[in-house]
Amino acid sequence: MEGKKIIRAVISIGLVVALITIIFVSQGHDPNNPHASIPREEWISGEKGHGFSVKNNQNPQKQCYRCHVKQDLGGKSYCQSCHDASGVDYALPD
């Protein structure tokens, strides 16, 4: 009987430690931002940042643009101003 109590105590302590670890680690993650694990500077101007993703994404206006507008990360005028400055000729959806 004593051995079962020790095993139960070890399992309970292990589960509590695992729960605390999960809660601690998840505090640094924004569930609304799929890019949260990438630093902003790297995402904007890094080698595999915004330009790379847009060029290699099959449908960025469907997968990215609507979410960016919804999250208030820049609407049509914001995106178009950058496109104009870099010489990209692209009409964003409404």
Side-chain angles (χ1 to χ4, degrees), residues 46-67:
E47 183 179 316
K48 294 203 173 182
H50 175 264
F52 175 84
S53 297
V54 170
K55 289 177 185 174
N56 291 296
N57 191 323
Q58 298 296 320
N59 197 355
Q61 65 273 16
K62 180 180 179 187
Q63 296 179 8
C64 305
Y65 181 71
R66 285 177 173 66
C67 181

Side-chain angles (χ1 to χ4, degrees), residues 15-29:
L15 288 173
V16 168
V17 168
L19 179 63
I20 290 171
T21 303
I22 290 170
I23 291 171
F24 180 75
V25 170
S26 69
Q27 294 300 313
H29 178 71

